[in-house]
Amino acid sequence: MIKRMLWQGLVAGTAGGLVMTLGEKIEQTLTGRPDSHVPARVLERLTGMREHAGKQPLAVNWAMHFGQAALLGVLRSVMANVGLRGPVASAQFTIVRLTNDQILENATGVGAPPQTWPRRELVVDLLHKAVYAFATGAVADALAARNGPGPGRRHAALRPGRHAGVGPLPRKNSYSR
């Protein structure tokens, strides 16, 4: 089960990263916004690499950009495999993606809290992270669906709707021991 969630998440996260990057490149063509070098700066600081003034090395930028996308995809895969699927799960995951970025950027001193950003920059970042989250979610959900509904969805099927008094699934029908 863990191996399945791992490979599915890496695939889903990489796919989401590719879709987000394509969207970013289209947006940059339309708006003239330059490439961000924040991912490279964060990775340099996290790993103790030598920092570069000005434009950052493209390989370092891509390594952080796609590495982060792939690794976070594992969490979305876990969500999908336990039954957290669809647009609501992808919206929840958008917040996780944004939070991850902000923790790393703020902890390393590379970024500032989003509420201090220019509004246009904030909207663009939110849009791109949502594209990533929903694309990653679509792939993770499709891969997880091949293994059935997951324990959460099986529990929900016991009595559709939200009701008190619906006990847990039998242990054998969950991922616990």
Side-chain angles (χ1 to χ4, degrees), residues 1-6 8 74-85 140-141 143-155 168-177:
M1 168 193 58
I2 291 173
K3 285 182 186 177
R4 180 179 72 236
M5 289 182 203
L6 180 62
Q8 288 177 356
V74 175
L75 176 59
R76 186 58 178 84
S77 174
V78 170
M79 292 172 68
N81 275 279
V82 301
L84 299 170
R85 299 180 188 159
D141 290 351
L143 291 172
R146 298 175 352 175
N147 300 104
R153 295 211 173 237
R154 287 193 297 272
H155 184 268
L169 286 176
R171 200 175 281 243
K172 66 181 169 98
N173 293 341
S174 71
Y175 289 139
S176 60
R177 297 205 182 267

Side-chain angles (χ1 to χ4, degrees), residues 51-97:
E51 294 187 47
H52 297 81
K55 191 173 179 178
Q56 301 300 300
L58 186 59
V60 177
N61 223 37
W62 287 126
M64 183 64 173
H65 181 75
F66 284 106
Q68 194 173 5
L71 288 175
L72 282 174
V74 175
L75 176 59
R76 186 58 178 84
S77 174
V78 170
M79 292 172 68
N81 275 279
V82 301
L84 299 170
R85 299 180 188 159
V88 172
S90 291
Q92 292 170 326
F93 186 60
T94 301
I95 303 305
V96 170
R97 176 67 166 120

Side-chain angles (χ1 to χ4, degrees), residues 13-162:
T14 299
L18 288 168
V19 171
M20 177 176 68
T21 302
L22 178 62
E24 287 170 338
K25 295 304 176 192
I26 292 169
E27 173 265 319
Q28 287 175 310
T29 299
L30 296 173
T31 65
R33 185 176 64 84
D35 286 338
S36 171
H37 300 288
V38 169
R41 289 184 181 279
V42 169
L43 185 58
E44 288 169 343
R45 293 218 172 157
L46 287 173
T47 62
M49 293 170 62
R50 184 176 74 85
E51 294 187 47
H52 297 81
K55 191 173 179 178
Q56 301 300 300
L58 186 59
V60 177
N61 223 37
W62 287 126
M64 183 64 173
H65 181 75
F66 284 106
Q68 194 173 5
L71 288 175
L72 282 174
V74 175
L75 176 59
R76 186 58 178 84
S77 174
V78 170
M79 292 172 68
N81 275 279
V82 301
L84 299 170
R85 299 180 188 159
V88 172
S90 291
Q92 292 170 326
F93 186 60
T94 301
I95 303 305
V96 170
R97 176 67 166 120
L98 290 162
T99 302
N100 180 76
D101 278 4
Q102 289 309 303
I103 288 170
L104 295 175
E105 291 170 16
N106 282 266
T108 57
V110 172
Q115 63 270 25
T116 66
W117 300 2
R119 292 299 162 239
R120 184 167 186 248
E121 193 175 320
L122 180 59
V123 168
V124 167
D125 192 56
L126 290 170
L127 174 66
H128 292 308
K129 296 310 186 302
V131 166
Y132 162 79
F134 279 80
T136 301
V139 174
D141 290 351
L143 291 172
R146 298 175 352 175
N147 300 104
R153 295 211 173 237
R154 287 193 297 272
H155 184 268
L158 293 175
R159 188 167 175 208
R162 188 170 179 147

